[in-house]
Structures are given as structure tokens and as C-alpha cells.
């Protein structure tokens, strides 16, 4: 039987300008290229998982504006169950302003809008979906109290709770204890563990601290250097993929969605991370968030 993935998280519309370099504070730069495409860490991870072959339900909130309705249509076109993407008449859909430089590095400002009003009550409407899921995947672009609630109810009913702590925020140990897997990048791992990450030894120590705080397993993504896994007290380092980076936006989201798809297919965490590395490497070679997410047919192996 196909194992289901529920993603609880944010939906944004991304307004992207790519430039030779990022402007300095107070500076105006001309000559950029504009792209509008759907984004938001929650939706990106849901779309990534669906395109990679997962059976995905998204629990989220958008406004009653055209950004929201267009986003829902696009999620549905990717095969996502959108029954629990709520509309909020009082708040606009989330928007992200993104600038990308010629090296593929970005900076992002988000107006959360309706995402900041996804509540435990909204989650309760989706309880049936969570009950029938194998994996529940979240990020931190919705209220932390909602993330804590979902983690609690999902863990109580034996689900694998996966958290991508992006954007970074201090997290209570009561939440960390409910996590089967934390997938963090280097700066998130540094902020959550308090360990400055300078080399592989410090990466391993950061995972030790996170596991001591209650997380069962940790993956730290290292960009082109691959990823580091701490699973049941054992360490594995997975090499990266060398590609020409065009835009790093949503590479982490692709990675998270891909790990969950592979776990839902019964693969080991190490196999899941290898698969996710290959998927994320495709995303960085293309512009935008959901415009860059790969399909299963594009991924080798
Ligand atoms: O992770 C990338 C995403 O972060 C973008 O799509 C943007 O919407 C922000 O949420």
C-alpha cells in the first residue's frame, strides 16, 4: 500500500529578480530579470514530494485573492490533495520577495499573511488525513504553536514527524522529543545546537547536541558538500553533487520532500538522503521555487 505524506506548512507567491549581484542597503540596481512563481517552504516541499512520486496532502492557508486560488489550482495539478488548504477571508496570501545573484545565492523577505493564521483548529479539520499518513512533514513558516500541536498529535498516533527548521527559530525540547527526523542546513543546525559549524567534527557534535535534546535522527545538509546523517547514534557522510548553480531557492525544500518520498517507499535514511541529494542538485540548476522542482523521471536511480 502506498504510504501517505502530509505536509503542514506555508504557501507563498514568489516575486523573483535575478541580478549580477545583490543590491546593498539603500542601493538601486537595474538590469534584473523578473519571474513570478509559486513558492513557500510548505508548498514547495509538498510539490517536490508529489512530483517525485509521493502521495501528498497539504494542510495550509491562503487568502481569498487570486494568488491563493491560482496556487491551489497548481497544487491540484501536481496531484496534491488540497482539501485542507483553507482560505482566510481576513488575511492575504503569503508573498515572498526574492533576489538571486549570478552565483545562485539568494536573499528572501516574506510577508506571511494567511500562513501566520494556520491554527490548531485548521489542523483538527485535517485529523483524518494525518491519521492515515505515514509521515508528517513541517517547516517553520507557520505559527510555532501549530507546529508543536501537529507534532504532538502525529507522534501520539505513531507517525514519523519530520521537521525542517527553516527559517531558524529556537525550539522547545518538548517539540524536539516528538521528532523522528530533523533536516537542517548548517546555519539552522548551528543556531539550534549552539555549536559553531567549522568542519565535519563540529557537524557531528551539532547532531549529538540535537539528539541529546530529544530528536531521534538528524540530517544536516551541506550544499555542494552533500549531507551528514546521524541515525541511531551512527554517523554517515553522503557526498554532494557538483552542478552549475543557477538559483539555490527551494533546493532545501526539494531535499526534504525527496527524503520523505524515499522513506515512504521503505528506503533507509541513507538511501533517502542519497536520492534527495540528486533531486536537490537538479533544483539548483533552474530558476525559481516550484518552477525548478524536478519530476521523478528526471532523477537518476
Ligand atoms: O525555501 C524557499 C522558499 O522560502 C521560497 O519559495 C519562499 O516563498 C520562502 O518561503
Amino acid at each position: 500500500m502506498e504510504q501517505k505524506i502530509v505536509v503542514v506548512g506555508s504557501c507563498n507567491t514568489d516575486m523573483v529578480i535575478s541580478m549580477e549581484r545583490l543590491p546593498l542597503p539603500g542601493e538601486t540596481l537595474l538590469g534584473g530579470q523578473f519571474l513570478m512563481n509559486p513558492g513557500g517552504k510548505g508548498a514547495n516541499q509538498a510539490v517536490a514530494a508529489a512530483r517525485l512520486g509521493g502521495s501528498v496532502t497539504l494542510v495550509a492557508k491562503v487568502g481569498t485573492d487570486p494568488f491563493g486560488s491560482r496556487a491551489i489550482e497548481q497544487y491540484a495539478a501536481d496531484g496534491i490533495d488540497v482539501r485542507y488548504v483553507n482560505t482566510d477571508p481576513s488575511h492575504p496570501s503569503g508573498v515572498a520577495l526574492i533576489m538571486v545573484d549570478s552565483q545562485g545565492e539568494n536573499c528572501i523577505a516574506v510577508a506571511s499573511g494567511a500562513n501566520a493564521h494556520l491554527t490548531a483548529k485548521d489542523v483538527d479539520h485535517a485529523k483524518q488525513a494525518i491519521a492515515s499518513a505515514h509521515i508528517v512533514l513541517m517547516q517553520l513558516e507557520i505559527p510555532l504553536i501549530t507546529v508543536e500541536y501537529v507534532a504532538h498529535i502525529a507522534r501520539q498516533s505513531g507517525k514519523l514527524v519530520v521537521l525542517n527548521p527553516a527559517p531558524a527559530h529556537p525550539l522547545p525540547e518538548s517539540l524536539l522529543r516528538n521528532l523522528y527526523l530533523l533536516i537542517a542546513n548548517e546555519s539552522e543546525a548551528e543556531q539550534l545546537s549552539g555549536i559553531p559549524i567549522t568542519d565535519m567534527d563540529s557537524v557531528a557534535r551539532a547532531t549529538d547536541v540535537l539528539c541529546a535534546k530529544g530528536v531521534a535522527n538528524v540530517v544536516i545538509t551541506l550544499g555542494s558538500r552533500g549531507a551528514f546523517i546521524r541515525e541511531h547514534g551512527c554517523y554517515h557522510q553522503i557526498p554532494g553533487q557538483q552542478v552549475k548553480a543557477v538559483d539555490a531557492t527551494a533546493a532545501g525544500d526539494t531535499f526534504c520532500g525527496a527524503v520523505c518520498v524515499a522513506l515512504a517507499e521503505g528506503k533507509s535514511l541513507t538511501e533517502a538522503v542519497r536520492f534527495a541529494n540528486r533531486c536537490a542538485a537538479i533544483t539548483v540548476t533552474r530558476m525559481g521555487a516550484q518552477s525548478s522542482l524536478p519530476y521523478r523521471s528526471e532523477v537518476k536511480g
Side-chain angles (χ1 to χ4, degrees), residues 86-115:
N86 303 292
T87 48
D88 181 338
S90 312
H91 300 95
S93 298
V95 170
L97 300 184
I98 303 181
M99 283 182 284
V100 183
D101 72 13
S102 59
Q103 306 303 305
E105 294 295 336
N106 62 34
C107 64
I108 303 180
V110 176
S112 296
N115 294 305

Side-chain angles (χ1 to χ4, degrees), residues 123-283:
V123 171
D124 281 342
H125 290 137
K127 259 188 173 164
Q128 199 53 47
I130 293 171
S132 64
H134 178 56
I135 296 174
V136 177
L137 170 61
M138 293 182 285
Q139 320 71 32
L140 298 178
E141 286 189 330
I142 56 171
L144 182 58
I145 193 164
T146 306
V147 172
E148 291 181 88
Y149 179 69
V150 174
H152 176 72
I153 60 168
R155 172 76 193 276
Q156 291 289 303
S157 51
K159 311 302 166 192
L160 300 186
V161 181
V162 180
L163 179 67
N164 172 221
H169 191 282
L171 299 176
E173 291 191 13
S174 54
L175 169 61
L176 297 175
R177 281 195 292 274
N178 283 328
L179 302 183
Y180 164 75
L181 177 62
L182 184 88
I183 305 176
N185 66 20
E186 288 169 84
S187 72
E188 291 151 4
E190 195 168 294
Q191 288 185 53
L192 288 175
S193 67
I195 304 283
I197 292 188
T198 51
D199 54 14
M200 281 305 155
D201 208 51
S202 53
V203 173
R205 277 187 285 119
T207 65
D208 291 343
V209 169
L210 292 167
C211 289
K213 287 175 187 267
V215 180
N217 303 294
V218 177
V219 171
I220 298 185
T221 57
L222 304 167
S224 59
R225 287 172 294 133
F228 189 93
I229 306 170
R230 186 187 196 277
E231 185 186 23
H232 306 311
C234 296
Y235 308 114
H236 310 275
Q237 200 186 330
I238 307 297
Q241 309 270 311
Q242 301 312 316
V243 291
K244 164 117 184 58
V246 169
D247 178 7
T249 307
D253 298 330
T254 306
F255 187 95
C256 294
V259 164
C260 291
V261 169
L263 292 176
E265 290 174 356
K267 297 196 168 68
S268 70
L269 183 55
T270 303
E271 287 172 308
V273 169
R274 284 187 200 283
F275 173 68
N277 254 347
R278 294 197 294 277
C279 298
I282 296 174
T283 298

Side-chain angles (χ1 to χ4, degrees), residues 12-30:
N12 293 332
T13 297
D14 291 356
M15 309 280 177
V16 187
I17 297 183
S18 53
M19 313 281 298
E20 183 56 31
R21 65 173 176 84
L22 303 179
L24 300 169
E27 185 184 27
T28 302
L29 284 179
L30 301 182

